Amino acid sequence: MERLARTQEEFLEAILEPRDIEATPGLEIYRRNARANAVSALAAAYPVVRRLVGEAFFDEAAVRYMRSNPSRSGDLHEHGGSLAAFLEVYEPARGLEYLADVARLEWACHECHHAADAGALDVAALARVGAESLGELRFALHPAVRLMRSFHPIAAIWEANQPHRDGIPDRARGPDHVLVRREDLAVRVERVDAAQWTLLAGFAAGASLDEASASLGAGEAERILAASLARFVRDGVIRRFSLPAGPVAA
């Protein structure tokens, strides 16, 4: 098995070697196809990163990424999840401190686009929960929701690099707390209040309403809780709820 594994590694290395290394015509075809597939899959998932660094830079990084992170799945939609970590240590990208976090945001968008669908929260069932039990509620987020935060203005960078935009962000500084969600088959990237983000992060981690509210700090829960919950239910960010002794209500 070790010999087979090494043979497979050598074959992959041969496919991904730079073009100036001599190869047989057949192997060169594999090389071209492997490069094209790697670049195509990553370009589809990371159009903003590609626009930020340019086509030549991105294509070279894509090949080097594939060499160090070969795909483990036949589904190209799953390839690219580690690009942000790769870019953090990729020497040519060292001067672009925001790039890895922009990549993380784009992968969150990619995951939301391909995530499972789910219906709306059962508001009528929620209304029947007694006041004495409200603090024990645990809310689950929609499968097509992701949370991102960064010291850099990643939402502004992402927005400025959408099609038909000039690439100039409307903010030069972060931090950004970002909610990524899918609505009507379109992925939306929205900046949210830091307290709202913390509340959602608590729900995502399994915290009860009381626990998530306590993490906000003095006065923050009173300031944002009612309006934020109403918004997140309306926008489909919250998908279902449960109580310790009861079933999940969808």
Side-chain angles (χ1 to χ4, degrees):
M1 291 296 292
E2 290 183 4
R3 176 178 292 183
L4 176 60
R6 181 54 192 157
T7 299
Q8 292 170 339
E9 290 175 2
E10 290 173 350
F11 179 67
L12 182 61
E13 290 170 0
I15 291 175
L16 298 175
E17 284 295 339
R19 289 182 179 275
D20 58 356
I21 293 180
E22 184 178 354
T24 64
L27 183 56
E28 185 57 34
I29 291 174
Y30 277 108
R31 286 183 180 179
R32 288 196 299 268
N33 288 342
R35 292 189 188 98
N37 289 338
V39 171
S40 177
L42 290 175
Y46 295 100
V48 171
V49 170
R50 192 168 190 250
R51 182 176 180 182
L52 287 170
V53 300
E55 183 176 335
F57 185 111
F58 186 90
D59 291 358
E60 176 66 17
V63 173
R64 292 184 180 276
Y65 170 76
M66 186 177 176
R67 290 186 64 187
S68 59
N69 298 270
S71 177
R72 305 298 181 188
S73 170
D75 185 354
L76 288 178
H77 291 317
E78 298 179 7
H79 184 53
S82 299
L83 183 66
F86 170 83
L87 291 173
E88 281 184 322
V89 297
Y90 186 49
E91 185 63 33
R94 187 170 295 278
L96 303 174
E97 296 181 350
Y98 56 84
L99 192 63
D101 279 356
V102 172
R104 290 187 177 92
L105 175 56
E106 287 212 275
W107 190 252
C109 294
H110 178 80
E111 288 185 324
C112 285
H113 179 77
H114 294 286
D117 202 2
L121 180 76
D122 188 341
V123 179
L126 181 60
R128 292 193 294 270
V129 176
E132 72 283 357
S133 301
L134 289 177
E136 299 178 75
L137 284 169
R138 297 182 188 275
F139 292 105
L141 306 186
H142 192 286
V145 164
R146 297 293 184 276
L147 300 172
M148 279 286 307
R149 62 179 174 180
S150 173
F151 292 114
H152 308 288
I154 55 174
I157 294 170
W158 184 89
E159 290 164 1
N161 286 279
Q162 295 307 297
H164 312 301
R165 288 291 302 271
D166 59 10
I168 302 175
D170 59 12
R171 289 177 291 109
R173 297 182 182 275
D176 267 359
H177 293 77
V178 183
L179 166 66
V180 184
R181 64 186 181 93
R182 192 177 67 215
E183 181 180 49
D184 298 330
L185 303 180
V187 174
R188 301 185 181 277
V189 173
E190 303 172 357
R191 291 183 70 209
V192 295
D193 184 284
Q196 292 178 318
W197 191 95
T198 300
L199 184 69
L200 287 175
F203 294 156
S208 68
L209 181 57
D210 273 349
E211 292 166 342
S213 299
S215 69
L216 299 180
E220 287 292 86
E222 291 81 357
R223 181 178 68 85
I224 65 116
L225 192 57
S228 296
L229 287 176
R231 172 194 171 182
F232 296 144
V233 170
R234 182 191 69 237
D235 291 346
V237 175
I238 293 175
R239 165 67 181 89
R240 60 185 187 274
F241 71 89
S242 63
L243 287 166
V248 170

